[in-house]
Amino acid sequence: MSDKIQHSESTLWVISRHYRMKNEHEKMDTRPSYIVSLFKHKCSRCRTGDMFQTNKVYHLKEFMKMNVRCPACGQLLEIEPGFYYGTSYVSYALTVALSVATLVAWWVTIGLSTTDNRFFWWLGINGVVLLLCQPYLMRLSRSIWLSFFVKYNANWLTEKAEEPERM
């Protein structure tokens, strides 16, 4: 009996959440921003559900634990086994871009010279910056990688998420 009550309570919760989210979505006349959803690590199909179980980027034991499905739209977040191996290329590109940005900022503000150690100071500071930014960059690379393969669906409330074939 208690199983039936728990099941009906969870069903009511899902239905009420669906209508509440639908009303919130109808209030927003525009689609959620692609860039903002990437930087906030949201599902690329609905751009509202969180990809990761925790929002704490620097909680190093749990910062990469992902939801199996998007809590908002039900999109499977790991489309196939080993899906996120490609994020290493995205993470590499983000790291290089950040290093180039810090080099340009260093060059403009402090300058580069071959007669003193300013370049080596930049190398050390850039290494520390990259080390501190790496957890966030790893999450961002997963968000970007997923957005390459799962496109935004304006009708995500009414259309079911596509189920990939798995072997």
Side-chain angles (χ1 to χ4, degrees):
M1 183 71 174
S2 66
D3 290 338
K4 289 182 181 180
I5 292 171
Q6 286 178 345
H7 179 68
S8 64
E9 286 176 357
S10 65
T11 305
L12 288 174
W13 180 82
V14 169
I15 291 171
S16 68
R17 183 168 182 255
H18 177 268
Y19 284 111
R20 187 173 56 240
M21 290 179 72
K22 184 176 180 182
N23 290 335
E24 289 174 7
H25 187 68
E26 287 172 355
K27 289 176 188 173
M28 299 184 305
D29 292 332
T30 61
R31 73 164 50 176
S33 170
Y34 174 70
I35 301 297
V36 172
S37 67
L38 285 179
F39 285 114
K40 289 186 173 183
H41 316 297
K42 300 292 184 182
C43 169
S44 58
R45 181 173 180 263
C46 65
R47 297 183 184 167
T48 57
D50 290 327
M51 288 178 59
F52 295 93
Q53 293 176 0
T54 180
N55 288 334
K56 298 175 184 172
V57 177
Y58 293 102
H59 193 252
L60 298 180
K61 287 188 177 182
E62 298 179 357
F63 83 103
M64 288 302 287
K65 289 185 180 175
M66 294 184 67
N67 292 319
V68 175
R69 292 187 176 275
C70 172
C73 69
Q75 171 66 42
L76 192 63
L77 294 178
E78 187 167 355
I79 297 174
E80 59 187 33
F83 175 70
Y84 288 107
Y85 285 143
T87 61
S88 60
Y89 300 109
V90 176
S91 183
Y92 177 74
L94 291 172
T95 304
V96 168
L98 184 60
S99 294
V100 168
T102 59
L103 178 64
V104 169
W106 187 271
W107 187 14
V108 170
T109 57
I110 297 174
L112 291 175
S113 173
T114 57
T115 59
D116 58 9
N117 293 330
R118 285 185 264 183
F119 180 73
F120 296 108
W121 275 99
W122 169 78
L123 279 176
I125 291 171
N126 184 56
V128 170
V129 167
L130 288 177
L131 189 64
L132 292 175
C133 291
Q134 195 58 37
Y136 181 78
L137 291 176
M138 290 171 67
R139 283 179 149 209
L140 181 60
S141 65
R142 283 193 175 204
S143 298
I144 292 171
W145 189 253
L146 184 66
S147 74
F148 290 159
F149 299 96
V150 178
K151 301 302 178 198
Y152 176 72
N153 183 354
N155 300 322
W156 64 270
L157 282 170
T158 56
E159 294 178 8
K160 189 177 177 185
E162 195 173 301
E163 292 292 327
E165 285 186 30
R166 290 192 163 202
M167 299 184 125

